[in-house]
Amino acid sequence: MARTVNKGRHASKNGTGGDERGALRLSLLRTMMQIRRFEEKAAEMYAKGRVKGFLHLYIGQEAVATGAISALRPDDYLVTHYREHGHALARGVDPNAIMAELFGRSGGTTGGRGGSMHIFDASKSFMGGYAIVAGHMPLACGLALAEQYKGTDRIAVNFLGDGAVNEGEFHEALNLAAVWKLPVLFICENNFYGMGTDVRRVSAVIEVYKRAEAYGIASEQVDGMDVEAMHEAVERAAAQIRAGDGPVFLEAICYRFRGHSMADPEFYREKGEVDRWRHLDPIEQLRARMEAAGEIDGATFAQLQLDADNVANEAALFAEESPPPSVETLYDFVYKGESNA
């Protein structure tokens, strides 16, 4: 079991392997940039009053979702927390539908019923963002149990935050997964703050992966600001799980550049700390690595930025033009109707 942050193995661009690495890097960079710009546009729409309620941005943590999900199969289940826009975009959920859901419009992923914290798209095996901290962990175990029962090699991937580790469901889910050797991958996005509370103030053991080790689960700490390190760690973990070796737990060390939500004044973090982490921006790290390898130039990066702008702008326009849910649909989906039997 690895006990240090995995920095990843970055191959050169020479040979076929290098060509594949360059293509993967370009794909990873594009996805991270699109997530970043989408979140910036969402913040802009919140400031304009288009997005109501809570809005938790993923800015700074793009490498975790992008690297992890790129290493999975499209049919692997994803069950995540309420900072989930990035996960949904990385999985390929329609950006227009995500933004419309933020707006509470009928064109949203759940017809405007869920909002920012409850993006859901079963067609992408994206089984939802959940607002109850750690409450989604047993759900991931249930999905994994179903696939184990059916004898498939499909796995469930559960993203959680460090704020979940002191909840009962965290320990119940890990124990159950270990006892039954469930095909589930737990990924803890440790950004050091549960809302405004520093993990060092509330946890006697701040290395979260050690808690999973206590349940006999293969565990590893990964550099969550390095998208390639995340990709490689999840690729290894998924192969291990599919081989029938039981659950794996990854602790991704990362940092959110914005507050807990748009309503957060951020009085609990020092500016110097935020600035230090901003120098580890996952997008800029990968861009620099690709430029050094001759895999990207300024013009290509500018085009990627333009593409990301267009996706975000189109999503906002779609959401604006999508009508609110009709009042006649208020009770739809509360109970399963005969037509759905």
Side-chain angles (χ1 to χ4, degrees), residues 43-218:
E44 179 186 331
M45 294 298 101
Y46 183 92
K48 291 181 176 180
R50 301 295 195 273
V51 178
K52 311 294 185 183
F54 292 101
L55 181 65
H56 306 85
L57 301 177
Y58 202 60
I59 295 173
Q61 297 181 213
E62 296 91 350
V64 181
T66 300
I69 294 170
S70 65
L72 298 170
R73 291 194 331 216
D75 67 331
D76 289 332
Y77 290 117
L78 299 182
V79 183
T80 185
H81 47 68
Y82 51 75
R83 196 182 305 279
E84 88 280 39
H85 312 154
H87 306 92
L89 290 165
R91 174 40 69 94
V93 178
D94 182 6
N96 291 357
I98 298 173
M99 189 67 81
E101 190 63 36
L102 268 58
F103 277 51
R105 301 296 177 85
S106 59
T109 54
T110 55
R113 290 171 168 78
S116 172
M117 295 190 283
H118 302 286
I119 306 300
F120 194 100
D121 189 343
S123 71
K124 300 288 186 181
S125 297
F126 190 84
M127 308 311 288
Y130 293 85
I132 303 302
V133 176
H136 62 317
M137 298 183 69
L139 302 181
C141 289
L143 290 166
L145 177 62
E147 296 308 312
Q148 183 186 69
Y149 182 81
K150 291 187 289 186
T152 75
D153 66 347
R154 189 182 192 181
I155 70 174
V157 180
N158 183 198
F159 290 91
L160 58 138
D162 55 277
V165 304
N166 289 325
E167 298 289 338
E169 295 95 334
F170 174 88
H171 300 277
E172 293 163 357
L174 263 60
N175 185 63
L176 193 66
V179 170
W180 287 349
K181 296 188 68 175
L182 296 179
V184 57
L185 170 59
F186 299 101
I187 302 177
C188 176
E189 300 191 65
N190 186 357
N191 63 23
F192 307 113
Y193 292 94
M195 294 186 71
T197 303
D198 191 321
V199 66
R200 292 165 290 192
R201 294 182 56 199
V202 295
S203 294
V205 178
I206 62 173
E207 297 92 345
V208 177
Y209 76 95
K210 291 182 178 179
R211 296 191 180 208
E213 282 185 336
Y215 290 98
I217 296 176

Side-chain angles (χ1 to χ4, degrees), residues 6-13 21 25 28 223 226-232 285-286 289 293 295:
N6 176 8
K7 294 293 185 180
R9 301 179 300 278
H10 309 304
S12 71
K13 67 169 186 172
R21 171 69 71 177
R25 283 175 166 175
L28 296 173
D223 183 355
D226 185 335
V227 68
E228 291 184 277
M230 281 303 310
H231 177 90
E232 291 164 8
Q285 282 198 66
L286 183 59
R289 198 176 295 149
E295 296 167 346

